[in-house]
Amino acid sequence: FKTIAMRHADVMLSNMNNKDWQIKNYSSLEKIIHAIHMSEMWEQAKDYYEGFLAAPPSGEVCSCVRDIKENGIMAELQLLALKIKFPGLTSGNPDLPYGQNASLFP
């Protein structure tokens, strides 16, 4: 496919019967909209990223900002990834379709 939208549609349709693909508990429509939304976000972020590559922050930028392992940024990103991939872990909702409840949901 030549366009990103068609590539997203192809991937989504190829995986729409895989219950573990992409964000759990999303409908097929929500999954394709999410893919398109994220594509828009990445396109907008591209200019900023290219700007950082062209002119990276100087050594004068505080090391506490640059040290993402120690300043909590990486931990927050990992937590966000867990919340998206396994919403029942952090939602407090025991009725989500995981573990013992998996058989309750088609």
Side-chain angles (χ1 to χ4, degrees), residues 1-43:
F1 297 104
K2 290 184 180 184
T3 66
I4 192 71
M6 287 304 294
R7 288 194 296 270
H8 286 312
D10 179 55
V11 171
M12 199 285 303
L13 292 171
S14 297
N15 290 285
M16 66 188 285
N17 293 325
N18 179 352
K19 64 181 177 74
D20 294 322
W21 181 77
Q22 216 199 45
I23 300 177
K24 295 178 184 250
N25 300 322
Y26 268 29
S27 69
S28 295
L29 178 61
E30 289 169 316
K31 288 179 181 183
I32 190 70
I33 295 301
H34 174 72
I36 293 168
H37 160 74
M38 291 308 300
S39 179
E40 289 287 316
M41 295 291 97
W42 287 118
E43 188 63 31

Side-chain angles (χ1 to χ4, degrees), residues 64-65 67-79:
C64 64
V65 172
D67 190 357
I68 63 171
K69 289 182 181 176
E70 294 298 321
N71 66 12
I73 290 175
M74 185 58 70
E76 284 297 318
L77 289 172
Q78 290 170 337
L79 178 60

Side-chain angles (χ1 to χ4, degrees), residues 45-57:
K46 181 177 142 184
D47 292 337
Y48 294 101
Y49 177 73
E50 288 173 350
F52 282 123
L53 289 179

